[in-house]
Amino acid sequence: MASQTVANAVEVRDLTVWLNGQTVLEEVTFDIPTGAFAGIVGPNGAGKTTLLKVLLGLVRTYEGSILVFGTPPARLGAQRHKIGYVPQRPNFDRSFPARVLDVVMMGRVSCRGLGRRFTPADREAALESLAMVGALELKDRPIGELSGGQQQRVFLARALCSHTQLLLLDEPNTGLDLPSQNQFYELLDTLRRENSLTIMVVSHDLAMVSRYADRILCINKRVHVHGSPSEVLESPLLDQVYGCEFEQIASRGVVIAGGSH
């Protein structure tokens, strides 16, 4: 994977988004440096998923400026393959007749184009991605037979097999037990360091993501806190994000949220 020449993989200025007559994001401004591991946290309805969709070019009606690798998402064209996306893990029919390798190869569509036949090079790229995430031995297994943690590794491999440089993940740990969550984040951090990736992860779990990210973006329609994990954990503005009280445990570097999100 080629390294980036731009200082910031993502630059957002005064982003405001309306959906169905409602303000979802308002005057959002931030930068994500190339090679960073960024966590995006906030309560339900904060606009986190919408932010990812804007970066992917799926939401194009907005005010403000967005640059991904120095280019507006809608104008990335053939460079769109640089962005990999892992959506929230869906519930699907476990009898769905798809092998793991077939699922991962679907990530090559952004390189190959719709309607074009896959080539041996596409297969090799998919196998390489499976090896990167430690799931090569699963290549011939039906996707529906895998555990939740195994499935997430497969979806991660799919997102990585198109010369990915920016990896976006939306609540990747939903439904996973605590050991699987830790393993997944450790894998993300290793992939970032070994492949010069920039990673942005949407999560409800501030405590978990702050253990691995080097910067945290706390949003609730607006950006309330943006900085290093220690800066965010110590910020009195967290109450504005979640609308509930926080108990900060400095010795463990953990924030426990009280009340409902």
Side-chain angles (χ1 to χ4, degrees), residues 8-13 55 62 65-73 76:
N8 292 320
V10 175
E11 296 182 357
V12 176
R13 297 289 181 271
L55 295 176
Y62 59 82
S65 171
I66 306 167
L67 298 177
V68 178
F69 304 128
T71 303
L76 281 170

Side-chain angles (χ1 to χ4, degrees), residues 40-245:
I40 305 170
V41 300
N44 287 325
K48 304 185 299 294
T49 296
T50 297
L51 177 58
L52 294 191
K53 289 181 177 179
V54 173
L55 295 176
L56 287 163
L58 300 178
V59 174
R60 300 192 180 192
T61 54
Y62 59 82
E63 288 186 355
S65 171
I66 306 167
L67 298 177
V68 178
F69 304 128
T71 303
R75 299 180 184 173
L76 281 170
Q79 300 302 307
R80 190 174 302 279
H81 68 84
K82 293 180 179 180
I83 306 176
Y85 177 49
V86 180
Q88 294 185 23
R89 189 161 64 92
N91 293 320
F92 60 89
D93 185 354
R94 288 191 170 271
S95 64
F96 185 70
R99 292 186 311 157
V100 164
L101 184 59
D102 297 326
V103 171
V104 176
M105 284 181 66
M106 291 304 297
R108 295 289 294 176
V109 169
S110 59
C111 291
R112 182 65 51 195
L114 289 172
R116 296 188 178 181
R117 296 175 63 88
F118 291 120
T119 68
D122 294 320
R123 186 177 188 277
E124 288 304 311
L127 291 171
E128 180 181 348
S129 292
L130 281 169
M132 286 169 58
V133 303
L136 184 59
E137 73 280 1
L138 303 175
K139 63 182 175 62
D140 294 319
R141 294 271 302 277
I143 185 70
E145 292 183 0
L146 305 185
S147 68
Q150 289 172 327
Q151 287 176 359
Q152 278 301 78
R153 286 178 179 253
V154 171
F155 297 142
L156 178 58
R158 181 181 63 182
L160 289 172
C161 73
S162 60
H163 309 293
T164 304
Q165 297 176 18
L166 171 63
L167 180 63
L168 308 178
L169 305 98
D170 192 358
E171 298 285 358
N173 280 348
T174 299
L176 301 185
D177 59 24
L178 187 59
S180 295
Q181 292 181 37
N182 282 316
Q183 290 172 8
F184 191 77
Y185 272 103
E186 288 170 2
L187 173 60
L188 289 179
D189 191 42
T190 298
L191 290 169
R192 177 184 67 90
R193 289 183 282 103
E194 293 182 351
N195 299 278
S196 301
L197 288 172
T198 304
I199 296 178
M200 297 177 66
V201 179
V202 162
S203 176
H204 283 92
D205 193 338
L206 176 57
M208 176 65 74
V209 76
S210 66
R211 293 176 57 188
Y212 296 93
D214 49 42
R215 61 180 52 223
I216 305 289
L217 183 70
C218 295
I219 67 172
N220 191 353
K221 296 187 179 180
R222 291 174 172 266
V223 174
H224 291 268
V225 194
H226 181 205
S228 67
S230 61
E231 290 171 335
V232 170
L233 295 179
E234 295 168 3
S235 174
L237 298 178
L238 284 177
D239 287 351
Q240 296 180 16
V241 181
Y242 287 91
C244 60
E245 293 298 322

